[in-house]
Amino acid sequence: MQAKAHKVDSPPAERWVAFAEAELRAAGHRSSAPRAAVVDLIGRQDCVLTAHEIAEELRRRGHGVGIATVYRTLELLERGKLVQRLDVGGASARYEPAFPGGEHHHHHLVCERCGRVTPFEDDDLERAIAELADRLSYRVGEHDVVLKGSCPRCSRVAG
Amino acid sequence: MQAKAHKVDSPPAERWVAFAEAELRAAGHRSSAPRAAVVDLIGRQDCVLTAHEIAEELRRRGHGVGIATVYRTLELLERGKLVQRLDVGGASARYEPAFPGGEHHHHHLVCERCGRVTPFEDDDLERAIAELADRLSYRVGEHDVVLKGSCPRCSRVAG
DNA sequence: GTCGATGCAAAGAATTTGCAGGACC
DNA sequence: GGTCCTGCAAATTCTTTGCATCGAC
């Protein structure tokens, strides 16, 4: 339960991609190669991505997609709760696949030195948040806790 | 412990303002009216403010301060750990006074409907985070948990 | 054939930076 | 009087939007 506790079991990419495409279709959207490429990339990445990173990676793979299309697709996915948007404090927002019913729900640690984003799950934290929400008479929705700190590697190197 | 649990005791503004000014001075910075106005406003506000809000409020009070100066002052304060920067998901960053030694440490709830930001404290959450950090062999620094949801008022109005 | 989707480029918004002049010590 | 600070405006970066064109259904 030490250094590898941060490794959340990798989400079933294929399942999410199929699900997301079906949802978009069901919502009355047409299918298209650029959009499919974006959805596919998001589903297969294990780390959170920025819009720029998505566009860049697709270009590298030869399927150049306009940055506007990337943003429009992300907005669509976010509205359908198919992706989770993260604000980890950098200039740009990051996105990751979201599963229905809160499956694979997790949070993130951000290393302030190297910028690495590490997912984690924790039942105690979840419970604390739930009790908290009751007490505050606040309805907490799809919360995402972003903790900032220094990852093991960076802590070792520089205090 | 119900609807008013979100009211954290208001921070001692005067004390923070004096402390921040002393720290800046000690760090070798000169004093100036614009910078003092920014520090003073941050210290007296009970809610988190954006750079734009700070500039706007100061202009309203007749002490127009250039937006660049506001940003430069905020950066200075942030580097000295005199303010805490918050990314609550909007377009712009928000800032609030920070006290030495983690005094008045708290977190925030953000209402996704009305945008209101509400501070809260919670020992259980704090404990869960501390244990978590150990287990992950991650060194968690000045963490700030931002929970998003729907505040009591908005929940009552619209489901 | 209609209407949504795309890509480019322009528009916007937030933040940073260059620079000339002014203020502090 | 030298150096730091300020304000303006230009530059950057991220994101959104207008519009003509293309493609799915």
Side-chain angles (χ1 to χ4, degrees):
Chain A
M1 194 57 143
Q2 255 280 56
K4 75 187 221 309
H6 65 276
K7 194 57 186 174
V8 171
D9 46 359
S10 66
E14 292 76 22
R15 197 150 64 78
W16 179 82
V17 172
F19 175 68
E21 283 173 344
E23 285 283 294
L24 289 181
R25 181 67 61 103
H29 298 289
R30 296 177 180 175
S31 83
S32 79
R35 184 172 291 171
V38 172
V39 170
D40 191 70
L41 180 59
I42 293 172
R44 294 180 199 292
Q45 283 304 120
D46 49 334
C47 59
V48 291
L49 294 174
T50 64
H52 181 261
E53 285 166 353
I54 292 170
E56 195 58 32
E57 178 61 21
L58 291 179
R59 180 169 308 119
R60 205 173 298 133
R61 297 186 185 182
H63 310 81
V65 170
I67 189 73
T69 295
V70 174
Y71 277 109
R72 283 190 278 235
T73 300
L74 288 171
E75 191 201 336
L76 227 52
L77 292 170
E78 193 183 5
R79 254 204 309 247
K81 296 191 188 308
L82 295 165
V83 296
Q84 163 91 43
R85 178 193 183 132
L86 292 193
D87 293 295
V88 299
S92 41
R94 292 179 170 277
Y95 298 83
E96 69 178 359
F99 290 80
E103 207 185 341
H104 300 293
H105 173 67
H106 60 270
H107 301 287
H108 299 85
L109 287 156
V110 180
C111 179
E112 292 179 312
R113 304 196 199 219
C114 66
R116 185 188 329 203
V117 178
T118 304
F120 71 86
E121 300 174 308
D122 189 69
D123 290 340
D124 286 343
L125 181 61
E126 227 57 60
R127 193 171 330 113
I129 290 171
E131 288 171 3
L132 190 54
D134 281 351
R135 206 164 61 242
L136 300 179
S137 69
Y138 220 90
R139 179 182 305 180
V140 173
E142 322 99 38
H143 58 282
D144 177 63
V145 175
V146 175
L147 300 180
K148 294 177 187 171
S150 172
C151 72
R153 186 180 310 174
C154 290
S155 295
R156 210 177 311 126
V157 174
Chain B
M1 194 60 147
Q2 253 282 57
K4 75 187 222 307
H6 64 278
K7 193 58 186 173
V8 171
D9 47 358
S10 67
E14 291 76 23
R15 198 151 63 80
W16 180 83
V17 172
F19 175 67
E21 284 174 345
E23 286 283 294
L24 289 181
R25 180 68 62 106
H29 298 289
R30 295 176 180 176
S31 82
S32 78
R35 184 173 291 171
V38 172
V39 171
D40 191 71
L41 179 58
I42 292 172
R44 295 180 198 292
Q45 283 305 120
D46 50 333
C47 59
V48 291
L49 293 174
T50 64
H52 180 262
E53 286 166 353
I54 292 169
E56 194 59 32
E57 178 61 23
L58 290 179
R59 180 167 308 119
R60 204 172 300 133
R61 296 186 186 182
H63 309 81
V65 170
I67 188 74
T69 294
V70 173
Y71 277 110
R72 283 189 276 235
T73 300
L74 288 172
E75 190 201 336
L76 229 51
L77 292 170
E78 193 183 4
R79 253 202 312 244
K81 297 192 186 306
L82 295 166
V83 296
Q84 162 90 42
R85 176 195 183 130
L86 291 193
D87 293 295
V88 299
S92 40
R94 293 179 169 277
Y95 298 82
E96 68 178 359
F99 290 80
E103 207 186 340
H104 300 294
H105 172 68
H106 60 270
H107 301 287
H108 299 84
L109 287 156
V110 179
C111 179
E112 291 179 313
R113 304 195 199 219
C114 67
R116 184 187 330 203
V117 178
T118 304
F120 71 86
E121 299 172 311
D122 188 70
D123 290 339
D124 286 343
L125 181 60
E126 227 57 58
R127 192 174 330 114
I129 290 171
E131 288 171 3
L132 190 53
D134 281 352
R135 205 165 60 241
L136 300 178
S137 69
Y138 221 91
R139 178 182 306 179
V140 174
E142 323 100 36
H143 58 282
D144 177 63
V145 175
V146 175
L147 300 180
K148 294 177 187 172
S150 172
C151 72
R153 187 180 308 174
C154 290
S155 296
R156 210 177 310 126
V157 174

